[in-house]
Amino acid sequence: MTDERNNSDDTAKNPAEEDPVIGYILRAVSSGKDVAPQEIAAAIAADRAKPTAPKDVWRKYMTAVRQQAIHLARQEKLLIIRKGEVADPNDFKGLYKLRKISSD
């Protein structure tokens, strides 16, 4: 006999618990300043990379940072800034920064 429990409580987890990249992003933007995704990727690499890893190992985390930033922007937890203006998370290219949504 299998144990079939209602897992509806599991779906209400804190997003930072589901994916550590989300935690890095949310901590980085919590200061209120615009943050470049490279800074977040570098922080992840500094925490996770082996000491023998190349100096540009942060680049392998850039895709994950971008994907999770888009996810958080769609959930209205942060803003994607491109050329000083808020960008559509579904349609932006090039360099961007991340900003916490102001609670004003």
Side-chain angles (χ1 to χ4, degrees):
M1 184 173 210
T2 60
D3 181 22
E4 294 183 22
R5 292 183 282 164
N6 184 358
N7 291 331
S8 62
D9 292 338
D10 292 341
T11 59
K13 287 183 179 178
N14 181 357
E17 293 173 5
E18 294 175 12
D19 188 344
V21 175
I22 291 176
Y24 280 96
I25 294 171
L26 294 176
R27 280 191 298 278
V29 299
S30 67
S31 68
K33 296 182 179 181
D34 292 357
V35 180
Q38 294 89 337
E39 295 173 26
I40 299 168
I44 296 169
D47 289 348
R48 295 175 163 238
K50 295 178 182 178
T52 58
K55 293 186 182 210
D56 67 345
V57 71
W58 61 269
R59 291 177 182 268
K60 84 177 206 175
Y61 297 103
M62 284 296 292
T63 301
V65 171
R66 181 180 175 95
Q67 289 173 344
Q68 294 303 336
I70 290 170
H71 173 73
L72 290 169
R74 287 178 181 156
Q75 291 184 338
E76 299 181 358
K77 294 187 178 182
L78 60 79
L79 298 171
I80 296 175
I81 306 300
R82 169 117 172 93
K83 295 184 179 180
E85 297 182 12
V86 177
D88 178 4
N90 299 315
D91 184 35
F92 73 97
K93 295 179 183 179
L95 300 175
Y96 64 97
K97 291 193 175 189
L98 304 174
R99 180 186 297 165
K100 181 180 177 180
I101 293 181
S102 61
S103 59
D104 293 348

